[in-house]
Amino acid sequence: MTVSELCTAEEFELITPPQDRETKISVPYCCDLLSWAMGRAPEGCAWVTVIANQNTLAVAQLTEAACIILAENVRPDEKMKEKALEQGICIMTSPLPAFETALKVYEAINV
């Protein structure tokens, strides 16, 4: 599944578009501890978190996450959105809790 395909799923709202819409999503990854995610998030993951700040973008870029999905209707502030656009990092949001959001990604990847 590509990031652009996931962006069209009804559970997700696109906040910032991906730089490369054909980036493949390898797995969902849930983590709200940035230092933990920095060392363990797999490349190409759809990272599900409730942490919406500049450091989240830095970790996503470092780990080469395919996208960030903010669970529980968390929304980035304007500064984070601007930086994500500048860096080409895709951000989506979901009304679902983190586990259910990751499960939706997993189901979409494995259909």
Side-chain angles (χ1 to χ4, degrees):
M1 160 153 291
T2 65
V3 174
S4 63
E5 291 169 331
L6 188 63
C7 290
T8 64
E10 67 181 51
E11 296 86 10
F12 307 110
E13 177 189 344
L14 182 64
I15 304 294
T16 60
Q19 189 169 37
D20 179 1
R21 297 186 68 78
E22 298 310 309
T23 298
K24 297 277 186 202
I25 297 174
S26 56
V27 295
Y29 180 73
C30 288
C31 186
D32 289 327
L33 186 59
L34 298 179
S35 61
W36 189 269
M38 188 168 39
R40 291 173 177 80
E43 181 179 334
C45 70
W47 179 19
V48 180
T49 184
V50 295
I51 307 298
N53 65 39
Q54 300 270 351
N55 294 332
T56 305
L57 297 174
V59 173
Q61 192 170 41
L62 177 72
T63 61
E64 298 182 26
C67 61
I68 299 168
I69 304 173
L70 299 172
E72 299 192 36
N73 283 321
V74 171
R75 302 191 73 79
D77 62 18
E78 285 303 313
K79 195 172 185 180
M80 184 181 182
K81 283 199 299 192
E82 289 172 16
K83 192 68 169 173
L85 285 168
E86 180 183 303
Q87 295 177 339
I89 297 172
C90 177
I91 300 175
M92 291 178 253
T93 188
S94 170
L96 303 171
F99 174 79
E100 291 176 37
T101 299
L103 184 57
K104 291 291 183 186
V105 173
Y106 179 83
E107 290 169 347
I109 291 172
N110 293 292
V111 255

